[in-house]
Amino acid sequence: MCLAVPGRVLDIGEKDGTRMATVDFGGVQKEVCLEYLPDLQVGEYAIVHVGFALQRLDEESARQTLELFEQLGMLQEEFGDPWEQAAAQAGADSPWPFADEPAVAAPQEEVQP
Amino acid sequence: MKYIDEFQDPALARRLLDDIHATVTRPWALMEVCGGQTHTIIRHGIDQLLPDQVELIHGPGCPVCVTPLEVIDKALEIASRPDVIFCSFGDMLRVPGTGRDLFQVRSEGGDVRVVYSPLDALRIAQENPQRQVVFFGIGFETTAPPNAMTVYQAKKLGIRNFSLLVSHVRVPPAIEAIMQSPSCRVQGFLAAGHVCSVMGMGEYPELAARHRVPIVVTGFEPLDILEGVRRAVRQLERGEHTVDNAYARAVRPEGNPAALAMLEDVFEVTDRAWRGIGVIPDSGWRLSPRYRDFDAEHRFSVTGINTVEPAECRSGEVLQGLLKPHECEAFGTLCTPRSPLGATMVSSEGACAAYYLYRRLDLGTVPAAPTTAPEASPVV
Ligand code: SF4
């Protein structure tokens, strides 16, 4: 959640008197509020956190960061389905390093979404 | 330096590491404040690439982790009400309250929705005028301005069925609390880059001078961390203690003035309890009196909650850098991402989750750092 992801402004409009933009994050597009960076223009990059552009970023560093986040699966974490992720977390642990020792000793309650 | 080829620019990573190795003459302990930085460090084994004299201590910078159990219990209580649509960021779904989490509340019929942005919650309120829509407003200085803007919008648009359950926290008072602890070993800080994107660097010079600690504003990528460490170690070796910006591409010294003005309007500073740590003076925000109507705690009287912390969980010590996650008795046995005892095992920025996910155990061996993200990552 604390992750802020660089994105590129595709178009700018207004909604309920608020400056909003469509922003592309390496293929995923989201609606983003520009009120905190009012002079951001189409084609520019910014770091975006929970739907708000917070600071301008130059194109080169934005691209590099996006590439890295993509490689590390962090874009999936940020934009993937959180219910699926929570369900996976509740039901499927990452394998414990020691094959013959159980990872989970506590009683389990399986929860379906 | 086996894993160095996994860095985005291995040659630069090697140069930075060589420089750090050449500079260090004595042991130094640095704290990375932000949980996102902790994950980068553990994922890339950066702590093991550094000279033995440089120790990285994990800080309290995970907003999900430090949200007090009492607030989580209030959230669960409000989310269970039939007239309420409860909106939250995905990270909060599996954070344990007393006995259950939001994920369970939904399976029991609660209308819990995950939103990407707080403005999505406001839209849900507009679309459901007959229901109460509550947004779980947690987070540090990076998340507070978006939530502030949402409350401001709600007021401006006259949306009456929207409220915020607020538990915002501020970094500088946490740094102060860590430095004042008698068992503190921290000699320098890697400050959280995105917090400074909003706040700027103005709060730090006084802290750095008074506690004689270098504070280096640092980003989240592997090379950012190495550069932050390099600059902090340089200062320590020279006996300096200033504020330095190693994340200039995203941090201006003055921060984001529009966001700061909105924070000033919507919130006021207050004491806050941090989960596992206790109350830190002036370490949080609450809605200012002008926006009192939008305070969920004010709107829903949530009382009589019996909050019970699991006795085994030592996340308070983990969050203060006093204990490494795998040193907790429950780590990997009683406490796993599937059945977490503390938020630090669930959150995507939690230190216990980082150690679990990247299989970091103190076995004296270098763990195999995953080359790609783990499949079906259990981190939300
Ligand atoms: S391993 Fe689990 S029980 Fe131990 S401190 Fe971390 S969250 Fe708490």
Side-chain angles (χ1 to χ4, degrees):
Chain A
M1 182 203 89
C2 228
L3 192 66
V5 183
R8 179 168 177 266
V9 178
L10 297 180
D11 59 55
I12 295 175
E14 218 197 79
K15 200 163 160 190
D16 289 337
T18 304
R19 199 169 148 84
M20 301 291 291
T22 310
V23 172
D24 178 76
F25 304 92
V28 185
Q29 291 179 10
K30 290 275 179 194
E31 213 183 18
V32 165
C33 177
L34 297 190
E35 286 290 307
Y36 291 142
L37 279 186
D39 49 0
L40 198 67
Q41 299 299 327
V42 170
E44 285 193 291
Y45 287 81
I47 50 170
V48 175
H49 177 61
V50 299
F52 283 73
L54 291 180
Q55 203 58 266
R56 256 195 184 77
L57 208 58
D58 64 275
E59 175 166 352
E60 180 57 22
S61 20
R63 274 183 201 283
Q64 278 184 13
T65 305
L66 267 177
E67 223 171 86
L68 182 75
F69 283 6
E70 167 91 65
Q71 275 170 28
L72 298 176
M74 284 157 90
L75 290 182
Q76 172 60 25
E77 257 174 42
E78 182 77 1
F79 299 121
D81 180 349
W83 289 107
E84 258 172 38
Q85 290 173 24
Q89 194 181 27
D93 269 330
S94 62
W96 185 241
F98 309 110
D100 41 6
E101 274 176 44
V104 182
Q108 292 296 303
E109 230 181 90
E110 296 297 338
V111 181
Q112 293 306 318
Chain B
M1 292 188 193
K2 198 167 146 200
Y3 300 105
I4 204 155
D5 6 314
E6 286 168 16
F7 283 78
Q8 201 173 23
D9 184 343
L12 179 55
R14 183 170 295 274
R15 277 213 301 282
L16 293 171
L17 274 163
D18 287 347
D19 192 83
I20 296 167
H21 278 267
T23 310
V24 168
T25 64
R26 274 172 290 164
W28 299 112
L30 304 175
M31 175 176 273
E32 86 276 2
V33 170
C34 163
Q37 294 168 331
T38 302
H39 269 255
T40 303
I41 288 163
I42 303 301
R43 190 182 320 229
H44 291 269
I46 289 175
D47 51 339
Q48 293 173 335
L49 291 168
L50 291 171
D52 289 342
Q53 293 113 309
V54 179
E55 185 191 355
L56 290 176
I57 298 177
H58 314 313
C62 163
V64 176
C65 303
V66 301
T67 303
L69 190 60
E70 197 201 345
V71 177
I72 310 258
D73 282 344
K74 279 183 186 164
L76 297 170
E77 190 73 26
I78 294 173
S80 308
R81 296 173 58 129
D83 57 327
V84 165
I85 301 174
F86 193 86
C87 300
S88 164
F89 295 130
D91 314 49
M92 296 306 285
L93 294 180
R94 298 222 56 244
V95 174
T98 304
R100 56 189 187 147
D101 56 29
L102 283 171
F103 191 66
Q104 272 165 290
V105 167
R106 188 173 95 146
S107 71
E108 290 157 17
D111 194 346
V112 180
R113 301 191 194 178
V114 172
V115 293
Y116 162 67
S117 163
L119 288 176
D120 297 341
L122 194 60
R123 192 171 317 133
I124 292 172
Q126 281 171 301
E127 289 163 3
N128 296 275
Q130 73 294 356
R131 311 266 308 270
Q132 283 292 327
V133 174
V134 181
F135 180 68
F136 201 174
I138 70 145
F140 281 96
E141 290 96 326
T142 328
T143 323
N147 292 350
M149 174 66 78
T150 306
V151 173
Y152 172 84
Q153 288 284 337
K155 187 169 183 172
K156 193 176 87 180
L157 300 171
I159 299 170
R160 301 245 130 258
N161 61 326
F162 176 82
S163 58
L164 196 66
L165 179 62
V166 196
S167 190
H168 281 302
V169 276
R170 301 170 60 231
V171 167
I175 291 184
E176 177 68 40
I178 285 163
M179 289 314 294
Q180 280 182 8
S181 154
S183 37
C184 172
R185 296 186 298 120
V186 180
Q187 293 161 297
F189 286 94
L190 306 182
H194 291 150
V195 163
C196 298
S197 294
V198 170
M199 302 305 290
M201 292 156 52
E203 294 174 289
Y204 292 130
E206 196 265 332
L207 268 176
R210 192 153 37 83
H211 294 292
R212 305 181 65 80
V213 284
I215 300 180
V216 182
V217 176
T218 306
F220 301 84
E221 293 168 34
L223 291 174
D224 290 329
I225 306 275
L226 288 180
E227 176 62 7
V229 170
R230 191 181 74 90
R231 294 197 195 190
V233 165
R234 291 220 140 185
Q235 283 204 41
L236 286 166
E237 289 284 341
R238 291 178 183 157
E240 294 169 0
H241 37 79
T242 61
V243 179
D244 187 12
N245 185 3
Y247 194 39
R249 65 181 189 277
V251 173
R252 321 262 176 280
E254 71 282 8
N256 182 321
L260 289 172
M262 184 61 75
L263 283 174
E264 177 85 4
D265 177 40
V266 175
F267 291 129
E268 63 186 16
V269 169
T270 183
D271 298 349
R272 277 248 174 252
W274 294 49
R275 188 168 191 170
I277 298 177
V279 174
I280 303 179
D282 292 340
S283 68
W285 277 302
R286 64 172 171 219
L287 288 165
S288 70
R290 285 186 299 286
Y291 294 91
R292 186 83 195 276
D293 289 351
F294 295 93
D295 188 342
E297 290 201 53
H298 184 59
R299 192 169 295 192
F300 304 91
S301 58
V302 195
T303 48
I305 295 175
N306 191 12
T307 290
V308 187
E309 295 269 4
E312 303 89 347
C313 181
R314 302 180 66 186
S315 59
E317 288 157 87
V318 170
L319 289 165
Q320 291 170 83
L322 303 174
L323 188 84
K324 291 268 182 354
H326 61 271
E327 291 161 2
C328 166
E329 287 257 302
F331 178 85
T333 54
L334 274 180
C335 178
T336 66
R338 188 191 293 198
S339 62
L341 290 178
T344 42
M345 185 54 98
V346 198
S347 161
S348 53
E349 284 115 38
C352 300
Y355 274 63
Y356 192 90
L357 187 56
Y358 304 114
R359 305 175 185 186
R360 177 64 67 84
L361 296 161
D362 203 12
L363 301 177
T365 54
V366 178
T371 46
T372 52
E375 254 178 85
S377 159
V379 173
V380 178

